[in-house]
Amino acid sequence: MSDRQEPRLCSPPLPTPRGALSTGVVSALARGLPVPKPERAADADPYGDDLQLALYVLYELHYQGFDGVDEEREWDPALLALRRALEQCFLTALRVDVPRPVPVKKALDDLQIEPVGHDGGSVSHYLQRDGEPSQLMEYVALRSLYHLKEADPHAWVVPRLHGRAKAAMVAVEYDEFGAGRPSEIHAGLFADLMEDLGLETAYGHYLDAAPAEALATVNLMSLFGLHRALRGALVGHFAAVEVTSSPGSRRLAKALRRTGAGPAAVRFYDEHVEADAVHEQVVRHDVVGGLLESEPALEPDVVFGVQATTLLEDRLGAVLLAAWRDGRGVLRVPASRSGQ
């Protein structure tokens, strides 16, 4: 990590609301106004900006919080009741929209199928071949909402695992958190990537810029991580991330080299090419295998986690590619540069 300030030392400001639900949540946290009634979530678009931002803000209370918001609000009963209603709306839509369940081996094998030639539906393929520097910057800005908290949501599953699955999960998380070396924490490496591209590295800085599709990919991890009943789904999400990370990271590293990015930017993805190729085997055989060995009834939940992750990543990818091919940006507000 460079000499810049650690990006998570300060809590971010509350975001700009995008509808009635997110306005109610932000007003409750900022000004102490009444929390919206849970019933108001029933008619919301489960994938829309308003619900996804409201849910993101409520989840963020369990991470870094927000500037000026009392830390005790993390366990405010009214906020938790609203969060539960938003979660149910989101989760119900996901259960309707994911494909039919398949055996877990097939679900994971399908993730490893690489297309022949250029994949017109893949963001990393597009960026490797055709991506412009501004598009790579947009992609990195959006992914910062996850990568600056990388590994944190998955850590919630550790006390819910046993034996082989727990030991393997901790081993992979240990690498994500730098293997005992603060300078190697993956979230810090991503902040170095951002700095190399001239982006602002402050935690949560690009929340207002992110469309609902990007928020949903991060909310999914928090949803799975905060509920013991969804521990199988979180393991499925973790497996999907690790299985797909190495080939995607290789393409993104090539994209950054092609567009003249600096060494710190390239290093983040180079690190994931090597590390996640190993992690993929550990996750498949020991985390997933160990979990299902001890709790075989969780196989449908693991598959659901894999499929829900793929669904939301595909939705985000479609938005990015449609905008870029049309010559448009994808950020709701322009990406501010470091120092501005």
Side-chain angles (χ1 to χ4, degrees):
M1 214 170 190
S2 68
D3 293 333
R4 58 169 166 72
Q5 185 182 25
E6 159 59 43
R8 290 190 65 170
L9 287 178
C10 300
S11 298
L14 284 162
T16 302
R18 305 183 190 178
L21 288 168
S22 52
T23 295
V25 169
V26 169
S27 296
L29 293 173
R31 295 184 284 153
L33 297 181
V35 176
K37 298 294 184 184
E39 298 78 33
R40 294 180 61 183
D43 297 326
D45 176 358
Y47 301 122
D49 275 299
D50 191 28
L51 183 142
Q52 289 298 327
L53 181 61
L55 194 53
Y56 190 101
V57 170
L58 292 171
Y59 282 146
E60 193 58 41
L61 297 176
H62 299 290
Y63 292 102
Q64 196 69 15
F66 292 97
D67 184 36
V69 175
D70 188 341
E71 293 182 352
E72 292 295 326
R73 300 303 298 275
E74 178 183 6
W75 300 111
D76 183 306
L79 291 173
L80 292 175
L82 175 61
R83 196 193 84 191
R84 181 63 172 168
L86 298 174
E87 287 176 330
Q88 287 302 308
C89 183
F90 185 30
L91 188 58
T92 297
L94 289 170
R95 293 198 183 280
V96 169
D97 292 338
V98 296
R100 294 180 60 184
V102 297
V104 69
K105 182 179 185 303
K106 176 172 173 50
L108 295 177
D109 286 347
D110 287 348
L111 293 174
Q112 293 183 300
I113 298 174
E114 283 285 295
V116 177
H118 181 65
D119 182 355
S122 164
V123 171
S124 61
H125 277 87
Y126 173 87
L127 290 174
Q128 177 186 337
R129 192 178 76 169
D130 300 319
E132 299 174 1
S134 61
Q135 293 167 345
L136 278 160
M137 288 179 64
E138 288 191 326
Y139 179 79
V140 168
L142 291 180
R143 287 302 192 187
S144 70
L145 298 181
Y146 161 56
H147 281 301
L148 292 183
K149 59 163 61 83
E150 185 172 2
D152 292 351
H154 296 129
W156 276 318
V157 83
V158 172
R160 299 161 183 167
L161 299 177
H162 310 279
R164 183 159 60 102
K166 175 175 279 193
M169 186 76 188
V170 170
V172 176
E173 288 280 273
Y174 180 66
D175 286 346
E176 300 287 348
F177 289 125
R181 295 166 293 172
S183 63
E184 301 299 308
I185 293 174
H186 285 189
L189 296 181
F190 194 81
D192 291 340
L193 181 164
M194 297 178 73
E195 186 174 56
D196 206 333
L197 295 181
L199 292 167
E200 173 58 57
T201 63
Y203 178 87
H205 179 80
Y206 293 103
L207 177 54
D208 278 332
E213 292 81 5
L215 300 183
T217 65
V218 183
N219 284 338
L220 186 71
M221 293 183 293
S222 301
L223 170 64
F224 291 163
L226 284 166
H227 293 275
R228 182 179 179 275
L230 295 172
R231 63 194 179 280
L234 185 64
V235 167
H237 181 283
F238 189 60
V241 170
E242 297 298 330
V243 167
T244 58
S245 176
S246 184
S249 294
R250 183 177 292 107
R251 289 188 285 270
L252 290 168
K254 289 179 179 178
L256 288 164
R257 287 190 175 95
R258 180 180 61 78
T259 55
V266 175
R267 185 188 174 210
F268 174 82
Y269 287 112
D270 279 345
E271 169 72 16
H272 281 68
V273 171
E274 298 177 9
D276 290 343
V278 176
H279 291 169
E280 181 261 319
Q281 294 298 318
V282 175
V283 171
R284 269 187 82 113
H285 299 294
D286 294 318
V287 180
V288 174
L291 173 67
L292 297 184
E293 183 178 69
S294 61
E295 298 187 88
L298 292 182
E299 182 171 358
D301 289 348
V302 175
V303 173
F304 172 67
V306 172
Q307 293 178 329
T309 303
T310 302
L311 172 74
L312 295 183
E313 288 293 336
D314 286 348
R315 286 175 57 88
L316 174 59
V319 168
L320 299 181
L321 292 173
W324 291 338
R325 287 172 176 150
D326 195 37
R328 296 179 287 110
V330 296
L331 303 184
R332 291 170 52 88
V333 295
S336 57
R337 300 298 189 93
S338 178
Q340 292 184 353

